[in-house]
Amino acid sequence: MIGISGAAFAVALQGGSTGVVTSDEDASREEVLEFWTPERVKRAKPAEMPVYPVECTGWGFLVRPHCW
């Protein structure tokens, strides 16, 4: 995580794009609960996440369940 964060920070300092989209929200707990009704939760779809290939070599396989 630190390496990824550091790389993203370095790109941001150079004025480049990290490909990360963020949004700050100031909604209260009540507003969030009002927005996320049971019907809306049922219709919600997960966001697409990037997938990066990872090799199962060396000691790294110990922390990568898909390598077991």
Side-chain angles (χ1 to χ4, degrees), residues 9 15 27 29 38 40-41 47 49-51 53 57 61 63 68:
F9 183 70
R29 181 180 187 277
R40 185 167 278 171
V41 170
M49 301 299 291
V51 178
T57 59
F61 77 92
V63 295
W68 299 343

Side-chain angles (χ1 to χ4, degrees), residues 7-31:
F9 183 70
V11 171
L13 285 178
Q14 295 172 2
S17 172
T18 62
V20 177
V21 177
T22 62
S23 176
D24 292 331
E25 295 292 330
D26 295 327
S28 69
R29 181 180 187 277
E30 291 77 21
E31 290 171 319

Side-chain angles (χ1 to χ4, degrees), residues 4 49-57 60 64 66-67:
I4 294 171
M49 301 299 291
V51 178
Y52 300 101
V54 178
E55 293 184 26
C56 297
T57 59
R64 298 183 180 116
H66 72 278
C67 295

